[in-house]
Amino acid sequence: MAAWWQSAVIYQIYPRSFQDSDGDGIGDLKGILQRLDHLEALGVDAIWLSPVFPSPMADFGYDVSDYCDVDPLFGSLADLDKLIAEAHARKLRVILDFVPNHSSDQHPWFIESRSSRLSAKRDWYIWQDPAADGGPPNNWGSTFGGSAWDYDAATGQYFYHAFLKEQPDLNWRHPQVQAAMHDVLRFWMRRGVDGFRIDVLWHLMKDPQFRDNPVNPDWQPGMPDITRTLRTQSCDHPDILGIVEGLRNVADEFEDRVLIGELYRPLERLVDYYGPQGKGVHLPFNFHLMDVEWRARDLAELVQTYEGLLPEGAWPNWVLGNHDQPRIASRLGPEQARIAMMLLLTLRGTPTLYQGDELGLPDAIVAADQVRDPWALREPDANVGRDPQRSPMPWDGGTHSGFSSAKPWLPLVDHWRTLNVAVQEGDAGSMLALTRQLLKVRRSSQALSLGTYRLICAEGTLLVYERRWEEERKLIALNLGSEPVELRGIVPNRTRPCAGTHMPIETVAGDGLAANEGIVVDL
Ligand code: NOJ
Ligand code: MG
């Protein structure tokens, strides 16, 4: 029998921007609780919450100062317990964000580690002597720009941080670090959490000899600083798979939990994270839909390559957006965002939706004085800002779109007065209506949720494939372009789609697809 996370649809909540309940302009746990109706009506199966743990918020929660509590900004541990219970009562699973690569520099572990070279926790983090000239130990760069090494004058060594200097990397080669982090997973699983999304999983293991990264010959001014070198030594060391196996063993101490790895890796390497003998993460996040050329051939090839690389027993997954990436509706335009949603929800594998994508939200326009993302603040000219996709959810036409009674921490998207949940609920042709319909059809279809995938046609702007489970067959036909396409001979005439981008569905499939049209039909 399939595990729950195979047929599930996961919905990512960015808690700061979902719903504010206490009028501070920042979303919180009670806010999420108030909006569970939306998720139930949408028809998703699991929610993944970006970090809600105590944090100085240098990287908005991805700098954790206590792995086993909740930041007062978001509420309390009791609020989280309540959210888990209420979600479970509605058959929604809860996935937390686990940030093992680095802690906050305010975490007691790091404070102890930096206190002295002789501290018992010195080696819980990555400390190195200066190079001969007194500079950083090697050329490893921080993802957010500049050197990844910060000098601690008091103890005369550098510590490594793959992100901000407020996010020192933990030393995963240390057995005590592994044990402590395993206990964090157990702490949350005992509280009923159904799984974890694991932050920057490929970063956990680095070259133990700290050799330089090779210089990137293609780097040009204007490109993000981190792309100056190729990160072949500073992350994704082969030993990572042993660490992943350790995490998996902990998850397997409990029933029915899922581990999802954040992995920006080429497909050939990504699939290694399923682990030898399936002892890896259940779902290594597959982000490749976010950068593939939006053409039928390229999409078909991506699916085929991925499917071909999957190890035996491995279950695929697809992602179209998250809090780090530009919105799909801005990348492809509002019409193709509908096609993209249909693709995401009909491909073989577990889909993850990012909050707001069910409304077709574009990136928000964030003026220079509204920028909050630490990366954007450090590299204002590199076009790396992540605020636009973190704009608050627009719920209705009221004050601050129903998100908060106070001015939100980031600006709302343009056109929130028409793009919001309330307006779209009343519109049978809205993106929200389409997403709900697709989720409904998917849920009631074995072929769509668990069936096989077979490519039928990828030509020009037309992509057609079949999903099949025993006798049930569904055909998906997508027009990726803005001109009508012929379907003759591919879809039997006079078939009524069970889902379509052009709603309400009045047309009878068979002859062709209109511009930007997609349909799902029963065969
Ligand atoms: C990936 C997270 O998604 C991103 O938001 C964060 O800045 C980095 N990891 C560092 O934790
Ligand atoms: Mg709040």
Side-chain angles (χ1 to χ4, degrees):
M1 219 193 71
W4 68 266
W5 46 265
Q6 291 182 273
S7 57
V9 176
I10 301 169
Y11 183 96
Q12 181 192 355
I13 292 181
Y14 192 68
R16 290 182 74 87
S17 300
F18 197 61
Q19 175 67 52
D20 179 26
S21 75
D22 59 358
D24 63 357
I26 298 174
D28 43 51
L29 291 173
K30 283 205 175 84
I32 299 173
L33 201 60
Q34 287 167 20
R35 293 296 186 184
L36 286 181
D37 286 349
H38 172 68
L39 301 174
E40 218 182 345
L42 189 60
V44 293
D45 305 279
I47 51 176
W48 145 37
L49 309 183
S50 277
V52 292
F53 316 110
S55 163
M57 304 289 166
D59 189 21
F60 298 115
Y62 285 96
D63 48 322
V64 179
S65 54
D66 180 351
Y67 286 100
C68 298
D69 204 347
V70 168
D71 195 281
L73 189 74
F74 295 119
S76 64
L77 202 48
D79 291 332
L80 185 50
D81 285 339
K82 192 164 169 209
L83 178 60
I84 295 169
E86 186 58 29
H88 284 170
R90 296 172 187 239
K91 302 215 159 39
L92 274 171
R93 311 263 181 168
V94 179
I95 296 167
L96 292 188
D97 212 311
F98 179 51
V99 191
N101 180 67
H102 43 268
S103 72
S104 161
D105 65 344
Q106 299 307 307
H107 195 295
W109 296 343
F110 186 70
I111 293 176
E112 190 180 335
S113 177
R114 92 180 297 166
S115 68
S116 148
R117 286 203 193 196
L118 301 175
S119 130
K121 291 207 172 58
R122 185 64 169 181
D123 293 336
W124 281 41
Y125 292 83
I126 299 173
W127 292 97
Q128 288 288 304
D129 288 334
D133 65 356
N138 65 20
N139 74 347
W140 295 0
S142 152
T143 307
F144 297 153
S147 170
W149 296 95
D150 202 56
Y151 187 61
D152 180 61
T155 57
Q157 284 188 311
Y158 282 86
F159 68 88
Y160 176 71
H161 56 90
F163 295 87
L164 298 173
K165 70 171 169 33
E166 292 84 359
Q167 296 167 292
D169 279 46
L170 282 151
N171 175 16
W172 271 83
R173 295 189 183 272
H174 198 307
Q176 289 176 4
V177 168
Q178 296 178 17
M181 290 306 251
H182 289 173
D183 279 344
V184 170
L185 295 178
R186 292 187 186 101
F187 173 86
W188 290 112
M189 286 192 283
R190 284 190 196 111
R191 290 193 107 84
V193 162
D194 299 287
F196 302 91
R197 173 267 190 189
I198 309 174
D199 191 65
V200 295
L201 181 56
W202 80 107
H203 268 273
L204 266 55
M205 287 303 237
K206 349 298 176 186
D207 176 32
Q209 295 174 51
F210 298 97
R211 283 169 289 197
D212 274 353
N213 281 325
V215 168
N216 176 6
D218 300 326
W219 185 84
Q220 281 171 18
M223 287 166 62
D225 194 57
I226 185 58
T227 58
R228 279 172 190 266
T229 55
L230 304 169
R231 287 185 278 181
T232 54
Q233 302 291 351
S234 55
C235 50
D236 207 7
H237 188 274
D239 293 345
I240 181 64
L241 295 180
I243 298 297
V244 175
E245 185 178 345
L247 298 171
R248 175 61 181 263
N249 286 336
V250 176
D252 286 348
E253 291 169 14
F254 296 75
E255 245 167 78
D256 253 3
R257 312 300 157 114
V258 68
L259 294 181
I260 308 171
E262 187 202 20
L263 292 155
Y264 286 94
R265 297 280 80 198
L267 287 175
E268 296 71 28
R269 175 62 174 156
L270 180 68
V271 295
D272 291 343
Y273 282 78
Y274 285 105
Q277 285 89 47
K279 274 292 188 180
V281 291
H282 304 87
L283 300 172
F285 257 152
N286 166 10
F287 294 132
H288 292 271
L289 273 184
M290 297 196 287
D291 51 31
V292 63
E293 286 287 336
W294 205 247
R295 287 192 299 242
R297 284 254 170 95
D298 296 73
L299 285 167
E301 230 177 82
L302 168 61
V303 177
Q304 195 190 329
T305 309
Y306 181 48
E307 289 270 355
L309 285 167
L310 289 174
E312 192 163 335
W315 182 249
N317 79 91
W318 298 95
V319 180
L320 265 174
N322 61 41
H323 63 295
D324 295 326
Q325 302 299 327
R327 290 272 187 186
I328 186 86
S330 289
R331 184 157 75 89
L332 302 177
E335 277 101 9
Q336 282 299 311
R338 298 166 75 94
I339 296 290
M341 184 62 83
M342 185 170 276
L343 177 73
L344 175 71
L345 296 180
T346 56
L347 282 176
R348 188 176 90 95
T350 304
T352 302
L353 278 173
Y354 178 47
Q355 73 176 46
D357 280 351
E358 75 273 34
L359 305 174
L361 286 195
D363 289 322
I365 295 167
V366 179
D369 64 344
Q370 295 170 319
V371 171
R372 297 287 176 270
D373 177 16
W375 190 1
L377 290 169
R378 290 169 56 88
E379 294 193 74
D381 302 322
N383 195 25
V384 291
R386 299 171 296 174
D387 295 317
Q389 56 268 32
R390 298 175 180 182
S391 170
M393 274 290 279
W395 294 101
D396 56 45
T399 314
H400 306 305
S401 200
F403 166 71
S404 175
S405 56
K407 188 169 174 241
W409 73 288
L410 281 176
L412 293 164
V413 295
D414 278 4
H415 310 300
W416 58 268
R417 280 175 206 282
T418 46
L419 267 182
N420 63 58
V421 173
V423 166
Q424 294 203 19
E425 268 184 331
D427 175 2
S430 69
M431 179 75 174
L432 179 59
L434 171 67
T435 309
R436 282 184 182 171
Q437 185 199 29
L438 285 168
L439 284 166
K440 191 168 158 199
V441 170
R442 185 185 168 97
R443 207 175 25 238
S444 61
S445 161
Q446 293 277 79
L448 288 180
S449 49
L450 293 170
T452 53
Y453 163 93
R454 185 168 67 91
L455 178 68
I456 292 180
C457 159
E459 259 177 53
T461 66
L462 182 64
L463 178 64
V464 186
Y465 49 94
E466 183 198 78
R467 301 289 314 280
R468 180 176 197 153
W469 179 270
E470 292 170 359
E471 292 313 299
E472 188 202 344
R473 286 163 69 203
K474 287 232 171 5
L475 191 116
I476 298 93
L478 306 173
N479 182 356
L480 309 173
S482 50
E483 299 290 332
V485 285
E486 288 271 316
L487 269 183
R488 264 180 240 284
I490 297 178
V491 177
N493 260 332
R494 302 166 63 75
T495 319
R496 194 178 182 282
C498 54
T501 52
H502 289 40
M503 291 195 296
I505 311 164
E506 283 145 8
T507 50
V508 169
D511 296 345
L513 293 174
N516 302 304
E517 187 178 16
I519 53 171
V520 183
V521 299
D522 279 300
L523 289 183

